[in-house]
Amino acid sequence: MTIQPVVLVHGGAGEVPEGMRAAHAEGCRVAAIAGLARLRETGSALEAVVRAVEILEDDPRYNAGTGACLDEEGALALDAAVMEGTSLRAGAVCAMPAFRSPIRIARAVLEDGRHVLYAGEGAARFAIERGFERPDPAAMITDAARERWKNVLAGRADRGWAGGTVGAVACDAEGRVAAATSTGGMVAKRVGRVGDSPILGAGTYADDESGAASATGEGEAILRLTLTRHVCELIVRGASAQEAADAAIARLGAKLGGAGGIIVVDRLGRIGHARNTHTMSWGLAREGHDAHSGH
Ligand code: ASP
């Protein structure tokens, strides 16, 4: 059976204001196209998901990299993970201070191979050793992120997950899958809080025996349900990618009252996505087909 290489991207579960929805989804479509182009060049699903996520980290409209939300002290504390499903190699960073592309640092962790997850200043030290520049954090903080943070601290908006997390899943022509997720987490989160995104099996998971998934939404609920691993188990038990995505989000709501979304690709390149929030922007690029998007 031939598999058509595919890249599916999300731009976070939440509620994007109506007037911004089309542009938010279009950003995901552009990232998916870039991911597929990288897949074509390299033949690697891992390279594809890193490329797609990196583009959205640089886009200030999303809650990852530049434009990510702020913690209770007004600082960036970034979480990201990448995993490939063939040898289960993975790399992740969490509660990391400002760096432009957390997903590229996570990927350097994967390549380095000594450890899977680095936190806080240790993650920063690893990044600097690997040649990543430590930027002026102010250059990565947008007016919108600062405004949102001020509103939460002043009690004018709910403390809570920010929306706009980014993630990607991909499958190459040989059925090798990969997943990546990157986020600033929740607005005004406690210092040291780490969400689901950088935790394998919770926000990010990939295994060629089943597929790959990236979750978004209320991190504490996704962590407790190890949602992306759950999706992969459902696929092993015979569910399609779409059935598994639907079942996982139904479980998130029914068991914990959690809100969120998920994107999934199985090892044959079939995709699924589901949400129980108002929106979850997504973009899809598949070899031989027009790319499209939705929310
Ligand atoms: N899941 C992320 C977190 O809790 C937030 C999100 O997906 O919007 O850190």
Side-chain angles (χ1 to χ4, degrees), residues 13 161-165 183 185-186 193 195-197 216-219 222:
W161 106 97
T165 288
T183 189
M186 299 170 75
R193 182 263 185 188
D196 59 299
S197 309
T216 167
E218 291 178 34
I222 295 168

Side-chain angles (χ1 to χ4, degrees), residues 15 29 33 85 92 98 102 105 110 123 132-133 146 148 154 182 193 210 223 232 252 255 278 283 294:
E15 186 169 5
R29 194 182 74 94
I33 291 171
I105 299 169
L110 176 153
F132 291 91
E133 255 175 55
R146 214 184 298 275
R148 187 112 189 245
S182 183
R193 182 263 185 188
S210 48
L223 274 164
C232 289
L252 178 67
K255 197 147 170 107
H278 285 98

